[in-house]
Amino acid sequence: MVKIRVPATSANLGPGFDCMGIALGLYNTFIFEETNGGLLVEGSEKSFEEEDNLIYLSMKRCFEKINYKFKGLRITAKSDVPVSRGLGSSATCIIGGVMGANALAGNPLSKKEILDIAAEIEGHPDNVAPALLGGLVTSVVDSDKVYYSKIEVPKGIKFYALIPNFKLSTKKSREILPKTVPFEDAVYNLSRASLMTAAFSKGDFKLLKIAGKDRLHQEYRGELIEGYESIIKESEQAGAYGSFLSGAGPTILIAVPKKDRNIYLKLRNHVEKLKYFWEIKELFIDNRGAKICR
Ligand code: HSE
């Protein structure tokens, strides 16, 4: 029996589209057991119980890669990461599945090999990399291999995840993006993404206000999320370090000083007036990443 805990993640962080993400202290936990036959998937999220669920598919892909023949499997999932909200719930299933398969097979794979398989399944590395490694991870895929650099985020920052009571699929949120962008928008993003990694590594969180801006995806996606613009404006006025769409949305991630209370109260007051219900979750960085629970 293997038990694995995988953190939620927030990808993009504004300008780092498809290449940056952070791990957050909110978790899905998976228990994997090899049985004498068949597949049994149990979990708190109904969609996890279907035959084609992502945890099982990720395990199967990993078993194929390492040529491990299994008889049967029981997968139990306890999920706290909301589904289709931009907090990396799919990445938890993929990392959980690949790590679980690797552990049941006697750990033949390195972390780097686990990441390569996981990124191939997800199609981009920006959620699976921080889910596996923790902290803030910048990652790129080149010739089917993931190259990454992890920053252990210094103390002094926390996040409010504003999670609405409606879903937005990544597919829909990617379809709305333009096929090409002006040269100056590309420069706008690469300069801010570079500033973002420097700001996070040094703990210069006041830079996030400028570093977190983006022209590649947020404005387009904001149109799909009622309340997006007003929440971003409110968080800026309230004095947040920065605010970004979390992954493909619809969750909005707001970076604030670790001891904040005032910004929270202002945001709560603001979201109460909006059409949809927005839960506010206080989250801290997880600098450790996925772990096997002993
Ligand atoms: N980078 C991805 C996107 C994250 O923004 O579409 C969501 O999976």
Side-chain angles (χ1 to χ4, degrees):
M1 193 264 271
V2 182
K3 185 174 175 184
I4 296 174
R5 192 185 80 163
V6 190
T9 45
S10 182
N12 301 330
L13 300 175
F17 182 72
D18 273 2
C19 68
M20 278 165 49
I22 47 168
L24 297 164
L26 176 72
Y27 302 93
N28 281 348
T29 305
F30 308 100
I31 297 172
F32 303 99
E33 288 161 272
E34 196 169 352
T35 61
N36 285 328
L39 169 69
L40 187 62
V41 186
E42 300 167 317
S44 44
E45 173 67 41
K46 277 282 158 217
S47 60
F48 286 172
E49 293 174 16
E50 292 153 19
E51 272 274 314
D52 62 348
N53 84 82
L54 197 50
I55 314 161
Y56 174 62
L57 293 180
S58 305
M59 293 189 86
K60 244 175 65 176
R61 180 82 72 93
C62 181
F63 283 142
E64 278 159 22
K65 293 253 181 200
I66 58 181
N67 208 13
Y68 181 85
K69 307 271 177 272
F70 65 96
K71 289 187 201 146
L73 287 170
R74 177 203 287 261
I75 305 170
T76 312
K78 182 188 170 296
S79 53
D80 288 332
V81 182
V83 173
S84 291
R85 296 300 203 289
L87 287 166
S89 96
S90 304
T92 70
C93 296
I94 296 169
I95 290 293
V98 176
M99 277 181 76
N102 183 49
L104 290 180
N107 293 306
L109 298 173
S110 66
K111 255 194 179 176
K112 171 74 180 63
E113 288 166 327
I114 290 174
L115 182 56
D116 286 339
I117 297 173
E120 189 188 304
I121 298 170
E122 176 99 306
H124 43 84
D126 52 341
N127 285 106
V128 288
L132 177 67
L133 304 161
L136 186 158
V137 185
T138 304
S139 49
V140 302
V141 178
D142 197 301
S143 308
D144 295 334
K145 296 267 175 261
V146 182
Y147 296 84
Y148 65 86
S149 182
K150 171 187 166 179
I151 292 168
E152 285 216 10
V153 178
K155 290 185 175 40
I157 193 168
K158 67 178 176 183
F159 298 89
Y160 298 134
L162 272 63
I163 310 168
N165 63 349
F166 56 85
K167 295 182 178 181
L168 176 58
S169 75
T170 300
K171 186 170 178 286
K172 191 170 173 197
S173 193
R174 287 182 88 86
E175 274 167 5
I176 200 164
L177 302 180
K179 296 278 172 282
T180 58
V181 293
F183 189 78
E184 56 268 30
D185 285 359
V187 174
Y188 184 97
N189 265 58
L190 71 86
S191 52
R192 280 158 185 77
S194 311
L195 191 62
M196 171 76 80
T197 47
F200 264 103
S201 61
K202 290 187 176 169
D204 269 348
F205 300 126
K206 287 199 171 127
L207 284 174
L208 297 189
K209 193 171 171 190
I210 299 302
K213 293 193 186 221
D214 151 81
R215 282 194 190 158
L216 296 187
H217 67 110
Q218 294 191 151
E219 246 179 67
Y220 306 102
R221 290 172 158 175
E223 285 170 26
L224 301 172
I225 304 164
E226 186 159 337
Y228 168 78
E229 223 173 284
S230 82
I231 290 173
I232 297 285
K233 207 164 148 203
E234 181 65 24
S235 73
E236 280 172 4
Q237 279 169 2
Y241 282 145
S243 35
F244 349 88
L245 195 59
S246 185
T251 293
I252 297 168
L253 196 71
I254 299 179
V256 299
K258 200 164 191 173
K259 293 198 174 135
D260 171 73
R261 183 74 192 151
N262 279 343
I263 299 170
Y264 172 83
L265 293 174
K266 284 184 182 159
L267 287 170
R268 201 181 62 185
N269 189 36
H270 180 75
V271 296
E272 273 167 8
K273 293 183 220 135
L274 298 179
K275 179 173 164 194
Y276 291 99
F277 174 77
W278 290 77
E279 179 189 1
I280 305 183
K281 256 191 204 304
E282 181 188 64
L283 297 172
F284 295 87
I285 290 272
D286 176 315
N287 270 322
R288 176 172 181 171
K291 68 165 191 174
I292 297 186
C293 308
R294 302 284 168 199

